[in-house]
Amino acid sequence: DDDDAEPAEPLDRTDFEAKAYVEELLRRQPLDRLLERDAALRRETRTLGSDLQALVYENYSKFIAATETIQAMNANVGAMEAGVACLDATLCDVDTLAKQVNGSLADKRSQIDTLVRSRRLL
């Protein structure tokens, strides 16, 4: 498993000790190699800083976009709630009117039912 392998670069190890690393470099490396290493570390630090800044900006942009999406969804839900409340009131009115019509036609329906039965008998 590659995830468990120790990094080749001592700086990337979890048990990295800066003081011991620097002492080892000073003891074993000539000045020109130390200066090259310093320049490489500075470049890497700037690159990592830029990468980190880009990631922060990207995640911030995503956070802002998600916030705007949630606000838009809340506005849409509010509008839908108003529409549903209006629809509910309309359906209640329709139900009331249907009951009134049903009640007013009940006598006539009974008369028609009686006539239909009489006609079938004939």
Side-chain angles (χ1 to χ4, degrees):
D1 190 21
D2 289 340
D3 292 341
D4 293 336
E6 280 295 324
E9 178 65 45
L11 294 172
D12 294 333
R13 295 176 53 114
T14 57
D15 62 347
F16 174 72
E17 294 200 25
K19 185 176 181 181
Y21 178 73
V22 170
E23 287 174 356
E24 181 68 21
L25 281 178
L26 291 173
R27 191 171 39 253
R28 293 184 178 245
Q29 300 295 325
L31 181 60
D32 61 330
R33 296 270 296 169
L34 290 173
L35 292 173
E36 288 173 10
R37 184 68 178 142
D38 176 62
L41 286 173
R42 287 177 190 269
R43 281 191 305 275
E44 186 176 349
T45 301
R46 281 192 299 273
T47 300
L48 290 173
S50 295
D51 291 349
L52 181 59
Q53 186 176 11
L55 283 172
V56 167
Y57 177 77
E58 181 181 330
N59 286 330
Y60 180 74
S61 297
K62 288 178 182 178
F63 173 75
I64 295 299
T67 300
E68 290 170 354
T69 300
I70 290 169
Q71 288 173 343
M73 288 172 63
N74 283 338
N76 289 339
V77 167
M80 284 186 350
E81 285 176 348
V84 168
C86 182
L87 180 62
D88 185 48
T90 302
L91 288 175
C92 285
D93 291 345
V94 167
D95 184 52
T96 301
L97 289 173
K99 286 177 181 174
Q100 288 174 354
V101 168
N102 208 13
S104 67
L105 295 177
D107 290 339
K108 302 245 188 266
R109 191 177 308 122
S110 177
Q111 291 172 1
I112 292 171
D113 193 36
T114 302
L115 289 172
V116 167
R117 275 192 240 135
S118 297
R119 175 146 183 164
R120 284 186 189 152
L121 289 174
L122 294 175

